[in-house]
């Protein structure tokens, strides 16, 4: 089954404790991206990757890092989480050409105390 | 930069009735995609309907249809015969033709279907 898998789905952590949210897709997609969803703001792009070893900032990259060492994986790293990073996070992938399709993971609810 | 505006934070409708959710967008591009996503309490992002900007015909998917007005940059979603399972957050979204990696979302409309 074609899917985008995120882990963990839920996480409560404390300020400053490094964490990683993993994302994996099995569709051989070139494009992958991370979004955060906040009330009244919709989804905003954090980082995106157009291929292996190619990453770039989205609209709200501060406080986040990403890496793309393999085509299927695109982890989101919070080196020193802060309460303003409490949010719902979505990973997404696409073929990267003019297909007009974006496949979302199931979301990861992160709470930083 | 492209922006998407949903001016209705919350709406409600009686079961079996019709409701229309509004969306406007701003872009200088001529080729793009527009989407409506549904997000139920499970938080999953479910694609409801998609419209290619070059197509004049409005997209339809069963009880869901859109009114796409390209000149007015308007893209409303009509839900007919509303069902309790339609209760969800609905997001309007925009994607340029050439970059399928950058989707722009509106703030969302929370729809409640009442029995």
């Amino acid at each position: 089954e074609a899917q985008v898998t995120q882990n963990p789905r839920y996480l409560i952590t404390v300020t400053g404790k490094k964490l990683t949210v993993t994302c994996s897709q099995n569709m051989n997609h070139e494009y992958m991206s991370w979004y955060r969803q906040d009330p009244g703001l919709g989804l905003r792009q954090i980082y995106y990757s157009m291929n292996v070893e190619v990453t770039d900032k989205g609209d709200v990259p501060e406080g986040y890092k990403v890496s793309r060492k393999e085509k299927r994986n695109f982890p989101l790293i919070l080196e020193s989480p802060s309460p303003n990073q409490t949010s719902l996070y979505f990973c997404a992938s696409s073929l990267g050409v003019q297909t007009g399709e974006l496949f979302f993971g199931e979301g990861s609810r992160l709470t930083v105390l | 930069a492209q922006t998407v505006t949903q001016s209705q934070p919350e709406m409600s409708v009686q079961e079996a009735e019709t409701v229309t959710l509004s969306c406007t967008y701003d872009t200088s591009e001529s080729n793009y995609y527009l989407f409506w996503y549904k997000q139920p309490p499970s938080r999953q992002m479910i694609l409801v309907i998609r419209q290619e900007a070059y197509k004049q015909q409005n997209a339809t998917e069963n009880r869901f249809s859109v009114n796409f007005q390209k000149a007015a940059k308007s893209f409303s979603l009509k839900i007919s015969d509303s069902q309790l399972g339609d209760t969800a957050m609905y997001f309007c979204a925009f994607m340029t033709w050439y970059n399928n990696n950058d989707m722009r979302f509106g703030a969302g409309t929370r729809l409640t279907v009442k029995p």
Side-chain angles (χ1 to χ4, degrees):
Chain A
E1 180 188 354
Q3 59 186 4
V4 179
T5 304
Q6 297 178 226
N7 280 296
R9 298 286 312 281
Y10 300 89
L11 181 63
I12 300 174
T13 189
V14 295
T15 299
K17 186 176 181 181
K18 180 179 178 179
L19 68 92
T20 299
V21 186
T22 64
C23 174
S24 181
Q25 50 91 6
N26 63 0
M27 296 168 279
N28 202 36
H29 284 169
E30 290 191 352
Y31 280 23
M32 297 186 75
S33 53
W34 277 101
Y35 291 83
R36 62 177 287 174
Q37 180 183 343
D38 301 290
L41 297 176
L43 283 77
R44 295 175 294 166
Q45 193 178 61
I46 303 171
Y47 267 96
Y48 65 94
S49 169
M50 299 174 77
N51 213 326
V52 175
E53 301 293 359
V54 180
T55 64
D56 210 343
K57 296 177 180 178
D59 294 324
V60 288
E62 295 78 20
Y64 305 95
K65 285 176 58 177
V66 293
S67 68
R68 188 91 182 274
K69 294 184 171 58
E70 306 166 279
K71 198 171 188 179
R72 64 183 293 127
N73 297 323
F74 190 46
L76 179 69
I77 304 159
L78 286 73
E79 293 272 3
S80 183
S82 61
N84 64 13
Q85 293 179 297
T86 292
S87 188
L88 177 60
Y89 291 88
F90 286 97
C91 180
S93 73
S94 73
L95 276 171
V97 293
Q98 296 158 0
T99 60
E101 289 187 281
L102 196 61
F103 294 83
F104 285 91
E106 294 183 314
S108 296
R109 169 70 69 186
L110 171 64
T111 301
V112 183
L113 302 177
Chain B
Q2 291 82 15
T3 58
V4 179
T5 302
Q6 293 178 250
S7 58
Q8 305 151 315
E10 294 187 13
M11 294 189 73
S12 64
V13 63
Q14 291 295 132
E15 195 175 8
E17 293 188 347
T18 296
V19 64
T20 298
L21 309 184
S22 301
C23 174
T24 59
Y25 59 95
D26 187 25
T27 184
S28 58
E29 303 288 337
S30 56
N31 292 321
Y32 48 87
Y33 300 96
L34 293 163
F35 307 82
W36 279 98
Y37 279 90
K38 170 185 178 181
Q39 188 181 53
S42 66
R43 306 179 329 207
Q44 192 174 359
M45 293 291 285
I46 301 168
L47 178 64
V48 174
I49 203 163
R50 181 182 78 173
Q51 175 83 41
E52 289 91 339
Y54 70 87
K55 290 186 177 179
Q56 293 186 338
Q57 186 171 8
N58 290 324
T60 63
E61 287 288 342
N62 301 313
R63 298 183 294 107
F64 299 88
S65 61
V66 297
N67 183 4
F68 174 46
Q69 301 289 329
K70 191 171 184 179
K73 296 180 182 175
S74 171
F75 184 61
S76 61
L77 175 70
K78 185 172 82 171
I79 306 174
S80 304
D81 186 25
S82 297
Q83 300 176 358
L84 296 179
D86 295 334
T87 292
M89 179 72 86
Y90 287 81
F91 291 101
C92 178
F94 172 101
M95 176 193 283
T96 60
W97 184 259
Y98 56 84
N99 184 356
N100 287 187
N101 201 47
D102 183 12
M103 186 174 279
R104 300 284 165 158
F105 290 85
T109 296
R110 184 171 299 281
L111 176 67
T112 301
V113 180
K114 299 179 178 178

